[in-house]
């Protein structure tokens, strides 16, 4: 198998399509600058590793691995994030299918889930993410906070839904009012994609 670099994914919607919840300028900047930077940095680290190995040079293993996990995880999280968003006109305000049933069983209802997810997101310290993951050891969907991009949870917990609450995700639109961004998020969740993720896990 031929090695290949990470690639910035195309969005499934136009930059204007998440308005008025996420503005064109905010979304374009987030995708083309912030996400792209993680892709480029992860690729640059892989090139450095290749070069060091070719030249027989010892790199700073600790620094390289740390920078790699930050940037590669940033790329993976943003990719999951874009896929679990959809224009309001093309999605619904509530989930359907097995995901809806799973949420009802775990949280006692969608409104309670929304409230817990929102509180988790609003109270994330500094830069981070909120993730709803699925744990196959307990057969439960679980809420987690992700610091920066450290998604150490991924090998054992599969991600169902993520929300980026770094300031770069909302500052142009909402300034410091993260809670307003979190409230807006509920209008543009791609429940079809979220349901498919759960179906794939349960298969
Ligand atoms: Mn981001």
């Amino acid at each position: 198998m031929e090695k290949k670099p990470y690639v910035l994914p195309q969005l499934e919607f136009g930059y204007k399509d998440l308005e008025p919840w996420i503005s064109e300028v905010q979304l374009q900047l987030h995708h083309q600058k912030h996400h792209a930077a993680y892709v480029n940095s992860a690729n640059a680290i892989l090139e450095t590793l290749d070069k060091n190995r070719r030249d027989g040079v010892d790199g700073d293993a600790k620094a390289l691995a740390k920078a790699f996990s930050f940037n590669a995880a940033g790329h993976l999280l943003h990719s999951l994030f874009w896929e679990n968003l959809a224009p309001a006109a093309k999605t619904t305000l509530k989930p359907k299918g097995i995901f809806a049933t799973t949420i009802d069983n775990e949280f006692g209802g969608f409104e309670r889930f929304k409230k817990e997810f929102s509180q988790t997101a609003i109270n994330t310290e500094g830069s981070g993410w909120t993730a709803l993951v699925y744990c196959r050891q307990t057969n439960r969907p679980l809420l987690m906070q992700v610091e920066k991009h450290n998604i150490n949870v991924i090998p054992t917990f599969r991600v169902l839904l993520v929300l980026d609450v770094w300031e770069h995700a909302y500052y142009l639109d909402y300034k410091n009012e993260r809670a307003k961004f979190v409230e807006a998020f509920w209008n543009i969740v791609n429940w079809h994609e979220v349901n498919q993720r759960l179906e794939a896990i349960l298969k």
Side-chain angles (χ1 to χ4, degrees):
M1 297 275 270
E2 198 186 335
K3 290 181 190 174
K4 52 186 182 177
Y6 291 108
V7 176
L8 181 69
Q10 293 268 329
L11 301 186
E12 298 284 324
F13 38 78
Y15 288 120
K16 280 185 180 179
D17 293 351
L18 300 185
E19 291 187 343
W21 314 111
I22 300 176
S23 69
E24 180 183 18
V25 61
Q26 176 75 75
L27 184 58
Q28 194 163 6
L29 195 71
H30 196 176
H31 180 244
Q32 290 185 353
K33 301 295 177 188
H34 293 281
H35 186 172
Y38 301 128
V39 171
N40 295 338
S41 298
N43 286 332
I45 293 160
L46 292 179
E47 283 168 23
T48 300
L49 290 171
D50 283 343
K51 189 173 187 310
N52 288 350
R53 288 166 191 166
R54 258 195 327 266
D55 298 348
V57 170
D58 288 342
D60 183 341
K62 184 180 169 187
L64 284 167
K66 192 175 178 190
F68 178 74
S69 56
F70 175 80
N71 288 291
H75 165 51
L76 296 175
L77 275 167
H78 282 90
S79 301
L80 286 165
F81 181 48
W82 308 134
E83 285 170 10
N84 70 218
L85 295 178
K90 292 188 178 169
T91 187
T92 51
L93 286 172
K94 286 184 178 182
K96 290 177 192 159
I98 187 73
F99 180 80
T101 314
T102 304
I103 289 301
D104 284 347
N105 288 342
E106 176 68 24
F107 294 91
F110 178 64
E111 289 306 317
R112 174 75 195 192
F113 159 69
K114 235 173 101 169
K115 191 172 160 192
E116 285 192 31
F117 187 104
S118 294
Q119 285 172 346
T120 306
I122 292 163
N123 294 309
T124 300
E125 287 173 348
S127 298
W129 297 69
T130 297
L132 179 74
V133 301
Y134 195 80
C135 171
R136 282 179 285 190
Q137 289 183 23
T138 58
N139 288 323
R140 297 177 70 153
L142 303 170
L143 284 169
M144 316 197 85
Q145 282 187 349
V146 175
E147 289 187 15
K148 294 184 191 169
H149 294 150
N150 292 325
I151 48 170
N152 312 345
V153 294
I154 275 199
T156 44
F157 296 106
R158 299 271 293 276
V159 172
L160 296 172
L161 175 67
V162 283
L163 172 60
D164 186 346
V165 289
W166 283 54
E167 282 186 350
H168 74 219
Y170 62 85
Y171 210 81
L172 292 179
D173 290 342
Y174 299 96
K175 302 288 187 293
N176 59 320
E177 297 189 89
R178 184 191 279 174
K180 286 192 178 169
F181 171 60
V182 173
E183 189 58 35
F185 168 69
W186 296 112
N187 293 284
I188 48 172
V189 175
N190 185 343
W191 294 116
H192 179 69
E193 167 69 19
V194 174
N195 191 54
Q196 282 194 326
R197 287 178 186 172
L198 181 59
E199 281 181 354
I201 293 166
L202 298 178
K203 243 178 212 167

